[in-house]
């Protein structure tokens, strides 16, 4: 029902910034709580940040708090992740997820729709 396409990934040096975008189609993102996840090589997929539809609040993982900001542009039907002060540990494939099914926001199995991912590589 909902298609998600991520973009904006790339290779940057430590301390740099990137802004990821998640363009949605098939439905309006205002209906859903949405989140960003990432998966580093050899690691499990982990929640990075969530923006809630009902409560209009956000939450971020401790590892990125103060550096990453999640937001959305309803007119463009697009979710964003602004990433500042990037570290090599931030390297991984970043995914956009929609329709939180309940439970912990940071668990990938609690979302219904997923994008294909965009690669972020941070060098030291």
């Amino acid at each position: 029902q909902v298609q998600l396409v991520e973009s904006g990934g790339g290779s940057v040096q430590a301390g740099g910034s990137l802004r990821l975008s998640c363009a949605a189609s098939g439905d309006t993102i205002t209906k859903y709580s949405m989140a960003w996840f990432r998966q580093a090589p050899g690691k499990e997929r982990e929640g990075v940040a969530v923006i809630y539809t009902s409560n209009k609040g956000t939450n971020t993982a401790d590892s990125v708090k103060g550096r990453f900001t999640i937001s959305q542009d309803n007119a463009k039907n697009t979710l964003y992740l602004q990433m500042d002060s990037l570290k090599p540990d931030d390297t991984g494939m970043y995914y956009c997820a929609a329709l939180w099914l309940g439970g912990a926001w940071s668990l990938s199995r609690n979302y219904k729709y997923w994008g294909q991912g965009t690669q972020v590589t941070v060098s030291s």
Side-chain angles (χ1 to χ4, degrees):
Q1 183 178 354
V2 177
Q3 294 78 48
L4 305 170
V5 179
E6 302 95 335
S7 63
S11 298
V12 297
Q13 293 183 336
S17 297
L18 286 172
R19 188 174 77 158
L20 306 184
S21 298
C22 172
S25 61
D27 209 348
T28 174
I29 62 173
T30 61
K31 292 185 178 181
Y32 309 113
S33 296
M34 301 185 67
W36 286 98
F37 285 75
R38 68 185 182 187
Q39 188 166 17
K43 300 293 184 68
E44 298 292 321
R45 190 172 298 186
E46 63 177 352
V48 175
V50 63
I51 183 165
Y52 299 106
T53 297
S54 60
N55 201 35
K56 304 299 182 182
T58 63
N59 201 2
T60 55
D62 289 342
S63 59
V64 305
K65 200 174 296 292
R67 299 187 298 117
F68 291 11
T69 303
I70 187 171
S71 63
Q72 63 187 60
D73 187 330
N74 294 336
K76 296 181 178 180
N77 212 33
T78 300
L79 180 75
Y80 300 100
L81 184 68
Q82 178 66 45
M83 306 187 295
D84 298 319
S85 302
L86 284 162
K87 305 174 180 179
D89 286 348
D90 295 320
T91 294
M93 186 72 74
Y94 283 70
Y95 299 89
C96 175
L99 212 173
W100 179 52
L101 301 172
W105 71 265
S106 58
L107 294 179
S108 61
R109 58 182 163 88
N110 290 335
Y111 294 83
K112 185 175 182 179
Y113 302 111
W114 292 86
Q116 85 290 345
T118 185
Q119 179 68 37
V120 172
T121 302
V122 184
S123 60
S124 60

